[in-house]
Amino acid sequence: MFSIIIPLYNKAEYIVETIKSVLNQSFTDFEVIIVDDASTDGSLHLAEKIKDSRIRIFTKANEGVSAARNFGISKATRPILAFLDADDKWEPDYLKIVLQMIKTYPDAGIFATGYYMNNKEKTFLNHIPHFPQMGIIDYFKYSYRHGMSICITSAVCVKRSIALEMPMFRKGIKRGEDIDVWLRVCLKYPMVFYNEPLMAYRTDTPNSLSVNYTNALEEFPYHEWFSHATNNKYYRKYVVTTIYLFAKNAFLAKDYGTCYNNLIQIHNVEPMIKCHKRITLIFFSFFMNLLHRKKLKSCDSFTS
C-alpha cells in the first residue's frame, strides 16, 4: 500500500529511531526506501544493520534532499507515497490513520496529519480549532490563517499517480521545496487533513533547516506562485504571507537586500492583515540595506 521514502544524510544519531518508528506501525503493508545522500557519519552503516525484508537501501552522490526524495519516488512501487525525514518519527498508528483517510476520501490526492514538537511537552504545532478530527480541507485558507503551511513533509502522503504526472521536489533548493509541491498538488486535488498529531518533528538536529536561515539562492522562489491560476480567494493571501515570512527571516538574518526585494514584490499584490508591520519592515530593510552598502563601500575604500 505505502512506499515510505526516507532521505538520509548524516543523521546517525536519529536514523535507527526513525526506522523503528516505521517498523513498529500497526499497519504493516509497506516498503521502506532509504536513499543515502553520501552520508559521512556512519548513518548508512546503521541503517544497513536493521534487517527487514521491506527495507530497500540506495546510495547516491550528494545532491541534496530534493534529489534524494525524487530518486526514492522513482524506485517506489506502491500506490501511496509517504515521506519521512531521517530525524523524525511516526506514532504507531500513523499509517493506519492515513489508510482510513484514503478509504473515506478516495478522490483526494494528498493526505496530511497534525504533528508535534519532539520534546517533553509534545507541543501540537498545527492544530486547527473548530475543524473536525478528519475531513477535506482548504489548504490555502487554513495555511493562510495558520501563518504558514499546515503541512510538513514527514506528515504528508501523496498518491503515486500524482507524482508521476507532475514535477516533484526542485533540486538545489534547501527550504520551501516541499511546500511548493503541496501547493501545486492542492491546486488540482482535494487535501484530507487529520486534526491530531501523529508525527514527532525535530527542529534542533544538525543539518536542520527549520531554525536556520540559509540564503536567497537556496530558498524556493515563492514569487513563481503568482503565475498559477486559481479561483481560490485565499491563494494569493497565502502566497503573500509566505513571502512576507521569508522576508522577515531574511531581515532577522541581516540579509536586508533580500528582505527589501521580496517585500517590494508583494507590496501592491494583496492587502493583508497587519499591513503596518509589513510597511515598517520595508522601511527598515531599505535603510539597513543602504547602511550595509555604505559600510561595504567604506571598507573597500580603506583596503584600496
Side-chain angles (χ1 to χ4, degrees), residues 150-170:
I150 60 170
C151 295
I152 191 167
T153 306
S154 294
V156 173
C157 294
V158 178
K159 287 182 177 177
R160 179 170 171 265
S161 59
I162 294 175
L164 296 178
E165 75 179 43
M166 66 173 66
M168 284 284 103
F169 303 95
R170 184 176 297 190

Side-chain angles (χ1 to χ4, degrees), residues 240-302:
V240 168
T241 299
T242 302
I243 298 176
Y244 171 75
L245 290 175
F246 169 47
K248 184 178 179 180
N249 288 335
F251 182 86
L252 294 175
K254 299 182 180 181
D255 186 355
Y256 304 117
T258 294
C259 176
Y260 179 75
N261 290 336
N262 279 272
L263 290 172
I264 288 299
Q265 283 184 16
I266 66 173
H267 183 56
N268 294 316
V269 172
E270 184 79 32
M272 65 184 276
I273 299 173
K274 300 180 182 177
C275 181
H276 64 282
K277 290 188 176 181
R278 177 158 48 92
I279 294 173
T280 301
L281 195 58
I282 289 175
F283 176 82
F284 278 109
S285 62
F286 175 74
F287 284 101
M288 290 300 290
N289 191 40
L290 285 179
L291 181 62
H292 182 65
R293 288 182 178 181
K294 286 183 179 179
K295 285 184 177 179
L296 289 177
K297 192 171 183 180
S298 298
C299 290
D300 289 342
S301 299
F302 179 78

Side-chain angles (χ1 to χ4, degrees), residues 19-180:
I19 295 174
K20 286 184 177 179
S21 81
V22 175
L23 300 181
N24 290 335
Q25 290 294 300
S26 56
F27 182 79
T28 60
D29 182 8
F30 58 78
E31 64 176 355
V32 184
I33 300 172
I34 300 173
V35 182
D36 181 68
D37 199 34
S39 294
T40 60
D41 68 342
S43 295
L44 175 60
H45 175 67
L46 291 173
E48 289 175 333
K49 289 176 66 176
I50 300 176
K51 302 302 180 182
D52 190 292
S53 60
R54 295 168 294 182
I55 297 177
R56 301 160 61 200
I57 299 178
F58 301 89
T59 60
K60 59 183 295 298
N62 181 267
E63 295 180 280
V65 66
S66 291
R69 289 190 186 123
N70 290 338
F71 183 88
I73 291 171
S74 73
K75 299 298 181 181
T77 63
R78 307 297 181 87
I80 304 296
L81 304 176
F83 301 98
L84 181 61
D85 286 350
D87 52 356
D88 296 332
K89 60 181 181 179
W90 288 335
E91 292 293 288
D93 285 336
Y94 175 79
L95 293 179
K96 178 182 177 180
I97 297 292
V98 173
L99 181 61
Q100 291 177 7
M101 297 162 69
I102 296 169
K103 289 181 176 180
T104 307
Y105 301 96
D107 294 330
I110 183 169
F111 309 87
T113 79
Y115 61 94
Y116 59 83
M117 190 81 74
N118 190 26
N119 55 22
K120 293 181 180 179
E121 293 78 24
K122 290 189 174 181
T123 305
F124 194 170
L125 295 182
N126 63 337
H127 176 259
I128 302 177
H130 313 300
F131 189 81
Q133 183 183 53
M134 179 175 68
I136 295 289
I137 193 170
D138 184 332
Y139 172 77
F140 305 112
K141 174 182 177 179
Y142 284 96
S143 292
Y144 167 64
R145 290 182 174 180
H146 186 54
M148 58 189 296
S149 174
I150 60 170
C151 295
I152 191 167
T153 306
S154 294
V156 173
C157 294
V158 178
K159 287 182 177 177
R160 179 170 171 265
S161 59
I162 294 175
L164 296 178
E165 75 179 43
M166 66 173 66
M168 284 284 103
F169 303 95
R170 184 176 297 190
K171 291 174 61 175
I173 300 296
K174 290 189 175 182
R175 193 200 304 265
E177 82 294 335
D178 49 354
I179 60 175
D180 169 64

Side-chain angles (χ1 to χ4, degrees), residues 203-221:
T203 61
D204 57 348
T205 61
N207 305 312
S208 173
L209 294 169
S210 56
V211 293
N212 299 314
Y213 175 76
T214 52
N215 60 60
L217 296 177
E218 295 178 334
E219 190 96 13
F220 188 85

